[in-house]
Amino acid sequence: MSAIVELLRTNPPARRFFLAHLQSSLGTGMGYVALVLLALERFHSPWAVALVLGADLVPLMALGALLGALADRIPRRACAVGADLVRAAAFLGIAVSGDLTAILLLAAAAGASNGVFNAAVLSGLPHVAPERDGAAATSLFSAVTTLGRTAGPLVAAGLLLGGGVEVALVVNGISFLVSALVLASVDLGRAAGTARARPPAPAPGSRLGPGFARLVAGSAGATLFAGMANVAEPAFITGDLAAVGAAFSVMVGVHGLGVAAGSLVGSRGGHAASLWLRYLAGIGAMGAGYTLAAVAPDYVLALPAFALAGAGNGALMVHERLLVQSLAAGGAQGRAFGTLEMAASWAFAAALGLGALAVGAASGREALMVAGLGTLGVWLACALSASARGARRPAAQRGL
């Protein structure tokens, strides 16, 4: 925390960036709730909800690497500001549109912009902060994103009481306009590919470091089982544990706080080898948390397990990002982040179907157990892969 406090105290551009990101993350949390409710209210079908949420995911599934690569070819600030403007227009358009096709197209535009924004910002954060504070900036970005999206639905509840879903969507759109205005004054640096004399386009897989494929595989596997846990949790809390619906909301909040806390662990940074060990520890904590929750006899004992799973999720997420910044060359970071998002999007989409099948065939508790044991399996596979790779390399070259 001392590195984060020092970063915010001494770096005005960083303060502006994180304040802007906090309010837009709150808006995103509000927008998610409002989008789901709008689909139900206007079209009266759960399929409408699924289509709207899926439309946000499809661009990343299909074009994640290409969207991320824009941050390698276009100045990062232009990418981030442009993405915010598109997201603002998309949510303001959704607020006034009554046509499902138009809403799906606007949601898809917002999803594509998310990919461009994340790649540009995550690649540019080490430029916003001095070299020694790059890890603190990346850690704080992950924590602020989680806190905003956890608290956003609570803010949305007040707006929904006072003005309906349209008001929440408009507020979300305005939050992106504010973010664009602030980011226009923050220098995110330039990737190597944005120089006037551009180098040849990199071959697929080049400049991403020897551990990148393992990182993608590990993160996609963890996302698959975490997504299954997301599907299993409502049935587990309200069915197996016989808790009230409000208890599920509390569990989501506890898990979100765990994610934010786990994200802050990355603020100390380190060499690739130590980042990889902490990344693995995050996957292991996720698996242990889901497994312990699945065997918990009551709701009170399940809550600390979900907090542990959340902390592991946060640690995985921030160290994954730090590893990309360490492994990928400056001209390939956007493509690397986009590739990670694309793989995670496919894994999450598969998780929704597999989770629903598991809950339908068994129970929420058993589906959550599958998610926990599956995540521990991913941890074991990644640990064995890292160990085997290290054993094959000379001692002077060992690391990630």
Side-chain angles (χ1 to χ4, degrees), residues 333-366:
Q333 283 189 6
R335 181 162 56 92
F337 281 118
T339 300
L340 275 172
E341 286 216 45
M342 183 168 65
S345 297
W346 277 103
F348 188 74
L352 296 180
L354 291 174
L357 288 173
V359 172
S363 67
R365 184 185 294 276
E366 291 173 328

Side-chain angles (χ1 to χ4, degrees), residues 255-326:
H255 183 272
L257 291 174
V259 174
S263 298
L264 294 176
V265 174
S267 61
R268 56 183 169 171
H271 296 293
S274 61
L275 295 177
W276 177 249
L277 289 175
R278 281 180 254 155
Y279 168 82
L280 286 177
I283 297 178
M286 282 178 62
Y290 291 137
T291 303
L292 289 172
V295 300
D298 56 47
Y299 176 75
V300 173
L301 291 178
L303 279 181
F306 281 118
L308 174 63
N313 194 332
L316 178 155
M317 178 172 58
V318 70
H319 289 100
E320 169 193 275
R321 293 167 173 175
L322 290 171
L323 282 167
V324 171
Q325 292 171 355
S326 172

Side-chain angles (χ1 to χ4, degrees), residues 10 18 74 104 127 137 147 161 170 172 186 195 264 294 310 332 355 357:
T10 61
F18 285 112
I74 301 172
L104 292 177
H127 186 86
L147 285 174
L161 289 174
V170 168
N172 187 25
V186 177
L264 294 176
L357 288 173

